[in-house]
């Protein structure tokens, strides 16, 4: 979903949660969000999958957002390591500027 090195003008958003431990529905929903969001400006995705479910009018032409997915596996150590790796760019991807998710409070609070 994300290239190994994002350009300087890309806002990289991390999405993490118990992707592998509670339900793969979290993973499927995150991927569906990424694809549906990109359908607002990527015509090849519209041609392949149809129009966006959620239309976002008046998007700025320079908007460049990419998504990284990560798992906490419902484990505090794994979740914290994943979040820190995403923020520091230690996971082989560009560092994220924001992180959403955090299903378990013991992982998302620190």
């Amino acid at each position: 979903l994300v290239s190994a090195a994002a350009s300087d003008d890309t806002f990289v958003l991390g999405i993490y949660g118990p992707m592998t431990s509670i339900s793969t529905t979290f993973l499927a929903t995150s991927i569906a969000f990424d694809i549906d969001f990109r359908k607002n400006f990527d015509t090849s995705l519209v041609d392949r999958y149809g129009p966006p479910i959620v239309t976002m009018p008046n998007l700025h032409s320079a908007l460049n957002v990419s998504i990284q997915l990560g798992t906490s596996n419902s484990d505090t150590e794994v979740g914290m390591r994943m979040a820190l790796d995403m923020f520091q760019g230690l996971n082989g991807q560009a560092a994220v500027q924001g992180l959403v998710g955090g299903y378990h409070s013991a992982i998302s609070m620190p």
Side-chain angles (χ1 to χ4, degrees), residues 28-48:
T29 302
S30 298
I31 293 169
F33 162 78
D34 179 43
I35 292 171
D36 196 61
F37 175 72
R38 289 187 294 134
K39 285 194 291 184
N40 283 278
F41 50 86
D42 186 338
T43 57
S44 68
L45 289 173
V46 173
D47 293 342
R48 186 169 182 182

Side-chain angles (χ1 to χ4, degrees), residues 30-76:
S30 298
I31 293 169
F33 162 78
D34 179 43
I35 292 171
D36 196 61
F37 175 72
R38 289 187 294 134
K39 285 194 291 184
N40 283 278
F41 50 86
D42 186 338
T43 57
S44 68
L45 289 173
V46 173
D47 293 342
R48 186 169 182 182
Y49 300 114
I53 297 167
V54 177
T55 303
M56 298 180 187
N58 304 318
L59 288 175
H60 192 282
S61 61
L63 179 66
N64 192 4
V65 177
S66 64
I67 303 294
Q68 286 184 34
L69 301 178
T71 186
S72 67
N73 199 36
S74 297
D75 180 274
T76 303

Side-chain angles (χ1 to χ4, degrees), residues 8-33:
D8 291 341
D9 61 346
T10 299
F11 181 83
V12 184
L13 181 63
I15 300 175
Y16 92 108
M19 307 285 188
T20 55
S21 57
I22 291 182
S23 172
T24 54
T25 302
F26 291 116
L27 180 59
T29 302
S30 298
I31 293 169
F33 162 78

